[in-house]
Amino acid sequence: MLRYTFHRTLQLIPVLIGVVVIVFTINYFSDVSPANVICGEFATPEVLAAKEAELGLDQPYLVQIGRYFYNLIFHGDMGRSYTKSVPVSQLIGERIATSAIIGLLGAVVSILIGIPLGLLGALKQNSAWDYLSTTVSIICTAIPGFWLALLLMLVFSVQLKITPVTGVATWRGYINPILCSAFPGIALLARMTRSSILENINADFVKTARAKGLPERKVVVRHVVRNSLIPVVTVIGSMLGHCITNGVVSESIFNISGVGSLMNTSITGKDYITTQGCVLVCAFMIALGNMLTDLFYAVIDPRIKAQYTRGAGRPKNRKPSVHRKGEAA
């Protein structure tokens, strides 16, 4: 497992390099220069040229991307924001905790609601619980994120006055964005859990467990649920990986200073260096979530663990002992 973990960690490097190259290339060949945004639309060509030279934007493509990689690898420097004149790493560091709290707690709410709904829908197939699970999944899938954010703001903030309208100055301010982040995950987990359990509940190994006289609760927990968790874990890993990016809409509507709102403002403001830093952090989180998902597979499925540890417990080949004449073999 340690060797597999090491190899999966090394696989993050080419993914992040590819993300940087793609985003940097798109920004480089963009029609609008950051100098136009900084200097304004009435700036003269001489002023724009001087600003581009100051920012290093007049250098060739290979020089610019090589300098970016050098500063990123050896100094941990993601560059300096064109519009705010602040290091990008500082901007992201000030906001990443807020986005992580909203995304992770949203994933927790999705797990606590979505998995039990899917489990009840599968075990009580064609019952009221099943219809409730399906209805909730359809509603959570159909509601757009921006409309849900406005609805939560209207109900909990304006009518009931439970949460503030904007901001996360207190813990109550996290309620609306967490619920907004959790709704899509509830629908996805409920559908995935239901379909996965229905696929395994009548399998041969489950019938064998029942034939041995095991209680139904043990059959469901040990055999049905455990063998149905792999696709569910895949969804959870994807949700954890996207925890930083899930709040782009809610952070903008609720006026929350997170990575999602920073990415949104940097894109609209043509602050390409900040956009690149945000995309790099989001790509790292997604790749890390996928890696943790692969590692957790071995905990759930012993067959996958056996592939990782194959040959670890085999005895070493020993040379046959040579007996002297007259000694017992």
Side-chain angles (χ1 to χ4, degrees):
M1 283 294 292
L2 290 177
R3 181 180 298 179
Y4 176 76
T5 304
F6 178 72
H7 285 304
R8 287 292 285 113
T9 304
L10 289 180
Q11 290 175 7
L12 295 179
I13 298 176
V15 172
L16 298 179
I17 291 176
V19 168
V20 172
V21 170
I22 292 173
V23 178
F24 194 95
T25 304
I26 294 173
N27 293 336
Y28 180 82
F29 290 103
S30 175
D31 294 334
V32 181
S33 172
N36 295 91
V37 181
I38 298 173
C39 299
E41 59 180 340
F42 299 108
T44 62
E46 292 78 12
V47 174
L48 294 176
K51 193 64 180 179
E52 288 184 351
E54 178 187 343
L55 298 175
L57 300 176
D58 59 338
Q59 300 293 326
Y61 170 80
L62 293 179
V63 174
Q64 291 190 40
I65 194 171
R67 184 174 60 229
Y68 184 84
F69 271 115
Y70 176 82
N71 293 331
L72 180 64
I73 295 172
F74 294 101
H75 301 288
D77 184 12
M78 295 182 180
R80 197 173 187 86
S81 172
Y82 295 145
T83 57
K84 297 181 175 61
S85 298
V86 176
V88 175
S89 56
Q90 178 181 337
L91 290 174
I92 296 176
E94 293 171 352
R95 293 163 169 79
I96 194 170
T98 303
S99 296
I101 290 173
I102 294 173
L104 292 176
L105 290 182
V108 171
V109 173
S110 300
I111 293 169
L112 294 178
I113 298 177
I115 292 180
L117 271 178
L119 184 63
L120 285 173
L123 297 179
K124 308 286 186 180
Q125 191 177 9
N126 298 325
S127 67
W129 288 109
D130 191 13
Y131 296 139
L132 175 64
S133 174
T134 305
T135 303
V136 171
S137 299
I138 294 174
I139 292 174
C140 292
T141 305
I143 296 179
F146 69 91
W147 187 85
L148 176 62
L150 295 175
L151 180 63
L152 293 173
M153 184 185 297
L154 178 64
V155 174
F156 291 104
S157 302
V158 178
Q159 299 293 332
L160 301 179
K161 301 186 183 304
I162 297 176
T163 62
V165 178
T166 60
V168 287
T170 63
W171 65 270
R172 294 176 184 271
Y174 285 95
I175 295 177
N176 287 341
I178 287 173
L179 291 176
C180 191
S181 176
F183 260 61
I186 292 173
L188 190 57
L189 282 175
R191 293 200 312 269
M192 186 61 67
T193 304
R194 182 181 181 276
S195 62
S196 183
I197 289 179
L198 287 177
E199 184 179 347
N200 290 298
I201 199 168
N202 293 318
D204 292 338
F205 63 89
V206 176
K207 294 178 180 178
T208 303
R210 288 195 179 104
K212 289 180 178 179
L214 288 178
E216 185 66 19
R217 183 177 179 181
K218 289 185 177 181
V219 171
V220 171
V221 174
R222 292 184 182 179
H223 298 277
V224 178
V225 174
R226 184 169 184 178
N227 285 278
S228 304
L229 278 180
I230 288 185
V232 178
V233 168
T234 304
V235 175
I236 295 175
S238 176
M239 290 167 53
L240 296 178
H242 288 80
C243 66
I244 302 296
T245 60
N246 283 340
V248 174
V249 175
S250 60
E251 288 176 7
S252 301
I253 293 178
F254 294 113
N255 194 23
I256 298 173
S257 296
V259 177
S261 61
L262 177 64
M263 186 187 303
N264 190 24
T265 55
S266 62
I267 291 173
T268 56
K270 309 299 180 185
D271 192 353
Y272 298 139
I273 197 73
T274 305
T275 305
Q276 189 162 289
C278 294
V279 172
L280 181 60
V281 171
C282 294
F284 174 77
M285 293 299 298
I286 293 171
L288 183 63
N290 292 335
M291 185 188 74
L292 294 177
T293 301
D294 291 343
L295 295 177
F296 197 65
Y297 284 161
V299 179
I300 299 174
D301 195 337
R303 296 170 297 180
I304 300 177
K305 185 176 181 180
Q307 294 177 3
Y308 297 153
T309 58
R310 185 173 296 169
R314 294 178 181 174
K316 296 181 179 179
N317 294 329
R318 296 180 179 177
K319 294 182 179 179
S321 56
V322 179
H323 299 284
R324 296 179 179 177
K325 256 184 183 180
E327 290 183 358

